[in-house]
């Protein structure tokens, strides 16, 4: 299935990656494809940043309302990856 977050679309998380990250992860959220698209667009328009779909999923989580429990807290979102096809933009 095609997705804007193709870098995250793996069938299984690697054993080494999961082992390293397991104790550092507090919450996992699944975001919609439309919120990923909106996050990429908002980052381009408002921040003048080209971020690929997988790198924009943190912003998509907020747009999708999946991270409302973080309201009022200091939050940092890592934005990464500029490997996005021009037609997608």
């Amino acid at each position: 299935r095609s997705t804007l977050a193709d870098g995250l679309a793996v069938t299984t998380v690697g054993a080494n990656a999961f082992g390293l990250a397991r104790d550092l992860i507090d919450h996992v959220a699944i975001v919609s494809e439309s919120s990923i698209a909106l996050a990429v667009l908002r980052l381009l328009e408002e921040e003048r940043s080209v971020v690929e779909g997988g790198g924009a999923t943190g912003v998509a989580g907020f747009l999708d309302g999946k991270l409302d429990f973080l309201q009022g807290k200091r939050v940092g979102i890592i934005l990464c990856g500029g490997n996005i096809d021009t037609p997608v933009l």
Side-chain angles (χ1 to χ4, degrees):
R1 180 175 133 184
S2 180
T3 176
L4 287 172
D6 56 349
L8 301 178
V10 295
T11 55
T12 306
V13 177
N16 290 336
F18 183 71
L20 288 170
R22 176 186 303 181
D23 295 333
L24 303 172
I25 298 172
D26 295 323
H27 182 77
V28 175
I30 298 173
V31 297
S32 67
E33 192 72 15
S34 61
S35 68
I36 295 171
L38 184 57
V40 169
L41 181 62
R42 289 243 176 110
L43 287 165
L44 182 62
E45 290 179 340
E46 295 179 21
E47 300 299 328
R48 305 293 188 250
S49 296
V50 176
V51 179
E52 64 187 55
T57 55
V59 174
F62 281 98
L63 295 174
D64 236 4
K66 303 286 178 87
L67 302 173
D68 290 343
F69 65 94
L70 295 172
Q71 187 172 356
K73 297 182 179 181
R74 293 179 70 131
V75 176
I77 300 174
I78 298 170
L79 305 174
C80 59
N83 186 20
I84 189 166
D85 292 331
T86 306
V88 172
L89 294 174

